[in-house]
mmCIF file with all atom_site columns, all heavy atoms in Angstrom:
data_model
loop_
_atom_site.group_PDB
_atom_site.id
_atom_site.type_symbol
_atom_site.label_atom_id
_atom_site.label_alt_id
_atom_site.label_comp_id
_atom_site.label_asym_id
_atom_site.label_entity_id
_atom_site.label_seq_id
_atom_site.pdbx_PDB_ins_code
_atom_site.Cartn_x
_atom_site.Cartn_y
_atom_site.Cartn_z
_atom_site.occupancy
_atom_site.B_iso_or_equiv
_atom_site.pdbx_formal_charge
_atom_site.auth_seq_id
_atom_site.auth_comp_id
_atom_site.auth_asym_id
_atom_site.auth_atom_id
_atom_site.pdbx_PDB_model_num
ATOM 1  N N   . ALA A 1 316 ? 3.713  -22.559 6.969  1.00 93.00 ? 1235 ALA A N   1
ATOM 2  C CA  . ALA A 1 316 ? 5.005  -22.338 6.296  1.00 93.00 ? 1235 ALA A CA  1
ATOM 3  C C   . ALA A 1 316 ? 6.145  -22.345 7.316  1.00 93.00 ? 1235 ALA A C   1
ATOM 4  O O   . ALA A 1 316 ? 5.937  -22.106 8.512  1.00 93.00 ? 1235 ALA A O   1
ATOM 5  C CB  . ALA A 1 316 ? 4.982  -21.020 5.538  1.00 93.00 ? 1235 ALA A CB  1
ATOM 6  N N   . GLU A 1 317 ? 7.344  -22.616 6.825  1.00 90.00 ? 1236 GLU A N   1
ATOM 7  C CA  . GLU A 1 317 ? 8.511  -22.710 7.714  1.00 90.00 ? 1236 GLU A CA  1
ATOM 8  C C   . GLU A 1 317 ? 8.775  -21.390 8.428  1.00 90.00 ? 1236 GLU A C   1
ATOM 9  O O   . GLU A 1 317 ? 9.042  -21.369 9.623  1.00 90.00 ? 1236 GLU A O   1
ATOM 10 C CB  . GLU A 1 317 ? 9.737  -23.122 6.891  1.00 90.00 ? 1236 GLU A CB  1
ATOM 11 C CG  . GLU A 1 317 ? 10.940 -23.463 7.745  1.00 90.00 ? 1236 GLU A CG  1
ATOM 12 C CD  . GLU A 1 317 ? 12.116 -23.944 6.912  1.00 90.00 ? 1236 GLU A CD  1
ATOM 13 O OE1 . GLU A 1 317 ? 11.915 -24.352 5.754  1.00 90.00 ? 1236 GLU A OE1 1
ATOM 14 O OE2 . GLU A 1 317 ? 13.249 -23.890 7.427  1.00 90.00 ? 1236 GLU A OE2 1
ATOM 15 N N   . ARG A 1 318 ? 8.719  -20.271 7.694  1.00 90.00 ? 1237 ARG A N   1
ATOM 16 C CA  . ARG A 1 318 ? 8.859  -18.939 8.304  1.00 90.00 ? 1237 ARG A CA  1
ATOM 17 C C   . ARG A 1 318 ? 7.648  -18.111 7.889  1.00 90.00 ? 1237 ARG A C   1
ATOM 18 O O   . ARG A 1 318 ? 7.740  -17.262 6.998  1.00 90.00 ? 1237 ARG A O   1
ATOM 19 C CB  . ARG A 1 318 ? 10.157 -18.280 7.845  1.00 90.00 ? 1237 ARG A CB  1
ATOM 20 C CG  . ARG A 1 318 ? 11.410 -19.019 8.284  1.00 90.00 ? 1237 ARG A CG  1
ATOM 21 C CD  . ARG A 1 318 ? 12.665 -18.357 7.758  1.00 90.00 ? 1237 ARG A CD  1
ATOM 22 N NE  . ARG A 1 318 ? 12.876 -17.034 8.347  1.00 90.00 ? 1237 ARG A NE  1
ATOM 23 C CZ  . ARG A 1 318 ? 13.795 -16.173 7.919  1.00 90.00 ? 1237 ARG A CZ  1
ATOM 24 N NH1 . ARG A 1 318 ? 14.559 -16.483 6.882  1.00 90.00 ? 1237 ARG A NH1 1
ATOM 25 N NH2 . ARG A 1 318 ? 13.943 -15.003 8.490  1.00 90.00 ? 1237 ARG A NH2 1
ATOM 26 N N   . PRO A 1 319 ? 6.506  -18.363 8.510  1.00 92.00 ? 1238 PRO A N   1
ATOM 27 C CA  . PRO A 1 319 ? 5.254  -17.764 8.007  1.00 92.00 ? 1238 PRO A CA  1
ATOM 28 C C   . PRO A 1 319 ? 5.216  -16.243 8.042  1.00 92.00 ? 1238 PRO A C   1
ATOM 29 O O   . PRO A 1 319 ? 4.582  -15.616 7.203  1.00 92.00 ? 1238 PRO A O   1
ATOM 30 C CB  . PRO A 1 319 ? 4.185  -18.357 8.936  1.00 92.00 ? 1238 PRO A CB  1
ATOM 31 C CG  . PRO A 1 319 ? 4.919  -18.773 10.162 1.00 92.00 ? 1238 PRO A CG  1
ATOM 32 C CD  . PRO A 1 319 ? 6.276  -19.169 9.712  1.00 92.00 ? 1238 PRO A CD  1
ATOM 33 N N   . ASP A 1 320 ? 5.921  -15.629 9.006  1.00 90.00 ? 1239 ASP A N   1
ATOM 34 C CA  . ASP A 1 320 ? 5.823  -14.177 9.152  1.00 90.00 ? 1239 ASP A CA  1
ATOM 35 C C   . ASP A 1 320 ? 6.561  -13.413 8.060  1.00 90.00 ? 1239 ASP A C   1
ATOM 36 O O   . ASP A 1 320 ? 6.224  -12.263 7.770  1.00 90.00 ? 1239 ASP A O   1
ATOM 37 C CB  . ASP A 1 320 ? 6.325  -13.743 10.541 1.00 90.00 ? 1239 ASP A CB  1
ATOM 38 C CG  . ASP A 1 320 ? 7.673  -14.359 10.884 1.00 90.00 ? 1239 ASP A CG  1
ATOM 39 O OD1 . ASP A 1 320 ? 8.042  -15.366 10.243 1.00 90.00 ? 1239 ASP A OD1 1
ATOM 40 O OD2 . ASP A 1 320 ? 8.355  -13.841 11.777 1.00 90.00 ? 1239 ASP A OD2 1
ATOM 41 N N   . VAL A 1 321 ? 7.567  -14.020 7.419  1.00 93.00 ? 1240 VAL A N   1
ATOM 42 C CA  . VAL A 1 321 ? 8.364  -13.279 6.425  1.00 93.00 ? 1240 VAL A CA  1
ATOM 43 C C   . VAL A 1 321 ? 8.214  -13.852 5.012  1.00 93.00 ? 1240 VAL A C   1
ATOM 44 O O   . VAL A 1 321 ? 8.978  -13.509 4.117  1.00 93.00 ? 1240 VAL A O   1
ATOM 45 C CB  . VAL A 1 321 ? 9.863  -13.239 6.818  1.00 93.00 ? 1240 VAL A CB  1
ATOM 46 C CG1 . VAL A 1 321 ? 10.069 -12.419 8.074  1.00 93.00 ? 1240 VAL A CG1 1
ATOM 47 C CG2 . VAL A 1 321 ? 10.428 -14.651 6.987  1.00 93.00 ? 1240 VAL A CG2 1
ATOM 48 N N   . CYS A 1 322 ? 7.224  -14.704 4.797  1.00 94.00 ? 1241 CYS A N   1
ATOM 49 C CA  . CYS A 1 322 ? 7.064  -15.350 3.485  1.00 94.00 ? 1241 CYS A CA  1
ATOM 50 C C   . CYS A 1 322 ? 6.881  -14.345 2.356  1.00 94.00 ? 1241 CYS A C   1
ATOM 51 O O   . CYS A 1 322 ? 7.465  -14.503 1.277  1.00 94.00 ? 1241 CYS A O   1
ATOM 52 C CB  . CYS A 1 322 ? 5.869  -16.305 3.512  1.00 94.00 ? 1241 CYS A CB  1
ATOM 53 S SG  . CYS A 1 322 ? 6.286  -17.930 4.156  1.00 94.00 ? 1241 CYS A SG  1
ATOM 54 N N   . ALA A 1 323 ? 6.072  -13.316 2.576  1.00 93.00 ? 1242 ALA A N   1
ATOM 55 C CA  . ALA A 1 323 ? 5.764  -12.371 1.490  1.00 93.00 ? 1242 ALA A CA  1
ATOM 56 C C   . ALA A 1 323 ? 7.012  -11.641 1.019  1.00 93.00 ? 1242 ALA A C   1
ATOM 57 O O   . ALA A 1 323 ? 7.284  -11.563 -0.187 1.00 93.00 ? 1242 ALA A O   1
ATOM 58 C CB  . ALA A 1 323 ? 4.697  -11.375 1.947  1.00 93.00 ? 1242 ALA A CB  1
ATOM 59 N N   . VAL A 1 324 ? 7.802  -11.115 1.945  1.00 94.00 ? 1243 VAL A N   1
ATOM 60 C CA  . VAL A 1 324 ? 8.986  -10.350 1.540  1.00 94.00 ? 1243 VAL A CA  1
ATOM 61 C C   . VAL A 1 324 ? 10.066 -11.280 0.989  1.00 94.00 ? 1243 VAL A C   1
ATOM 62 O O   . VAL A 1 324 ? 10.799 -10.910 0.061  1.00 94.00 ? 1243 VAL A O   1
ATOM 63 C CB  . VAL A 1 324 ? 9.512  -9.497  2.718  1.00 94.00 ? 1243 VAL A CB  1
ATOM 64 C CG1 . VAL A 1 324 ? 10.232 -10.328 3.751  1.00 94.00 ? 1243 VAL A CG1 1
ATOM 65 C CG2 . VAL A 1 324 ? 10.429 -8.394  2.203  1.00 94.00 ? 1243 VAL A CG2 1
ATOM 66 N N   . LEU A 1 325 ? 10.151 -12.517 1.487  1.00 94.00 ? 1244 LEU A N   1
ATOM 67 C CA  . LEU A 1 325 ? 11.115 -13.472 0.936  1.00 94.00 ? 1244 LEU A CA  1
ATOM 68 C C   . LEU A 1 325 ? 10.713 -13.891 -0.478 1.00 94.00 ? 1244 LEU A C   1
ATOM 69 O O   . LEU A 1 325 ? 11.567 -14.146 -1.329 1.00 94.00 ? 1244 LEU A O   1
ATOM 70 C CB  . LEU A 1 325 ? 11.231 -14.707 1.839  1.00 94.00 ? 1244 LEU A CB  1
ATOM 71 C CG  . LEU A 1 325 ? 11.911 -14.497 3.197  1.00 94.00 ? 1244 LEU A CG  1
ATOM 72 C CD1 . LEU A 1 325 ? 11.998 -15.805 3.955  1.00 94.00 ? 1244 LEU A CD1 1
ATOM 73 C CD2 . LEU A 1 325 ? 13.295 -13.883 3.036  1.00 94.00 ? 1244 LEU A CD2 1
ATOM 74 N N   . GLY A 1 326 ? 9.391  -13.970 -0.716 1.00 93.00 ? 1245 GLY A N   1
ATOM 75 C CA  . GLY A 1 326 ? 8.903  -14.263 -2.064 1.00 93.00 ? 1245 GLY A CA  1
ATOM 76 C C   . GLY A 1 326 ? 9.267  -13.159 -3.038 1.00 93.00 ? 1245 GLY A C   1
ATOM 77 O O   . GLY A 1 326 ? 9.720  -13.413 -4.162 1.00 93.00 ? 1245 GLY A O   1
ATOM 78 N N   . LEU A 1 327 ? 9.082  -11.911 -2.606 1.00 93.00 ? 1246 LEU A N   1
ATOM 79 C CA  . LEU A 1 327 ? 9.501  -10.778 -3.438 1.00 93.00 ? 1246 LEU A CA  1
ATOM 80 C C   . LEU A 1 327 ? 11.004 -10.824 -3.690 1.00 93.00 ? 1246 LEU A C   1
ATOM 81 O O   . LEU A 1 327 ? 11.470 -10.567 -4.803 1.00 93.00 ? 1246 LEU A O   1
ATOM 82 C CB  . LEU A 1 327 ? 9.132  -9.455  -2.744 1.00 93.00 ? 1246 LEU A CB  1
ATOM 83 C CG  . LEU A 1 327 ? 7.734  -8.885  -2.965 1.00 93.00 ? 1246 LEU A CG  1
ATOM 84 C CD1 . LEU A 1 327 ? 7.613  -7.551  -2.257 1.00 93.00 ? 1246 LEU A CD1 1
ATOM 85 C CD2 . LEU A 1 327 ? 7.417  -8.729  -4.431 1.00 93.00 ? 1246 LEU A CD2 1
#
Side-chain angles (χ1 to χ4, degrees):
E1236 189 177 341
R1237 296 178 66 190
D1239 49 341
V1240 293
C1241 275
V1243 75
L1244 290 182
L1246 274 183

